[in-house]
Amino acid sequence: MAVYELEQTDQLVALYTIIRDEKTKRDEFIFCADRIIRLLVEKATEFLPTREKTIRTPTESEYAGKEFVGKICAVSIVRSGEAMEKAVRDICQKIRIGKILIQRDENTAKPILFYHKLPEDIAERYVLLLDPMLATGGSAVKAVEILKGKGVNESKIIFVNLISCPEGIKEFTGKYPEVKVITGVIDKSLNEKAYILPGLGDFGDRYFGT
Ligand code: PRP
Ligand code: URA
């Protein structure tokens, strides 16, 4: 199992305190969520491959460094995953972004798949899978099922997530032990409506205002 939680520094906890607060207005929610998402995506890039590369600097010295290798893409689970696309584009220039539209049924919390559109050569790429909330795990499990159906190797998927909980992590990693999970924080549990506790409510509603 490969689950990485961001270090809970005071600065990070202060950002989470703002986005969790029911009184926080939408513009501040977006600003602080975007800051955390940026940290998560930067963390996720640490799991992408590199190789050694030596260059010469303007001081005529040699520098033994690294270069990025391997093709990557991002796939967002619509709607909330789309909020993570800007950070991915800011960090990975010209990255291709696929979409998987999955919505939880409001009564059963079971995921329903409506649509997907992915890069044709996705099987050759590392995939940053984007969804801010991992609750029961149903949506993320379905998304990986689609990626694997397109030939993506489980070990090349990095799931980037803002808030998770033990139930979702158990379900997801039980099914896909080789997928790396980068989560901002692992919360306590789920309530009877399958919302994360303490959580932040409905991410999509708060970020998009709909
Ligand atoms: C939310 C969230 C995840 C899912 C997590 O999406 O963005 O996709 O719920 O819950 P799960 O782990 O129990 O599947 P939702 O279906 O509410 O749609 P939205 O992104 O449009 O808000
Ligand atoms: N989706 C959300 O937006 N929040 C939760 O707590 C669970 C699923």
Side-chain angles (χ1 to χ4, degrees), residues 160-208:
V160 193
N161 161 262
L162 184 75
I163 301 186
S164 60
C165 61
E167 294 91 330
I169 286 178
K170 186 163 177 241
E171 170 69 9
F172 186 78
T173 58
K175 292 234 161 53
Y176 307 120
E178 289 183 49
V179 176
K180 286 157 201 84
V181 179
I182 314 300
T183 185
V185 62
I186 303 171
D187 269 9
K188 285 206 176 64
S189 59
L190 290 176
N191 69 12
E192 68 288 349
K193 290 186 171 163
Y195 273 79
I196 298 171
L197 298 177
L200 50 69
D202 190 301
F203 181 92
D205 287 1
R206 297 193 66 185
Y207 194 96
F208 295 110

Side-chain angles (χ1 to χ4, degrees), residues 1 12 15-16 19 36 40-41 58 67 72 75 84 88 91 97 109 157-158 176 181-182 186 202:
M1 178 170 111
L12 185 67
L15 289 172
Y16 272 103
I19 63 172
I36 303 173
L40 286 165
V41 177
E67 68 178 343
I72 62 169
V75 172
M84 305 174 83
V88 166
I91 290 166
I97 301 181
I157 301 172
I158 302 162
Y176 307 120
V181 179
I182 314 300
I186 303 171
D202 190 301

Side-chain angles (χ1 to χ4, degrees), residues 1 12 17 26 44 60 63 72 74 82 100 111 114 126-127 134 137 149 158 186 188 190 207:
M1 178 170 111
L12 185 67
T17 305
R26 187 167 157 233
E60 297 184 359
Y63 173 76
I72 62 169
E82 290 180 308
I100 300 179
F114 289 97
Y126 285 78
V127 178
L134 178 68
I158 302 162
I186 303 171
K188 285 206 176 64
L190 290 176
Y207 194 96

Side-chain angles (χ1 to χ4, degrees), residues 77-80 102-104 131 133-139 202 204:
I77 302 180
V78 179
R79 157 189 68 158
S80 294
I102 295 171
Q103 295 280 286
R104 292 203 316 178
D131 193 333
M133 306 304 281
L134 178 68
T136 66
S139 305
D202 190 301

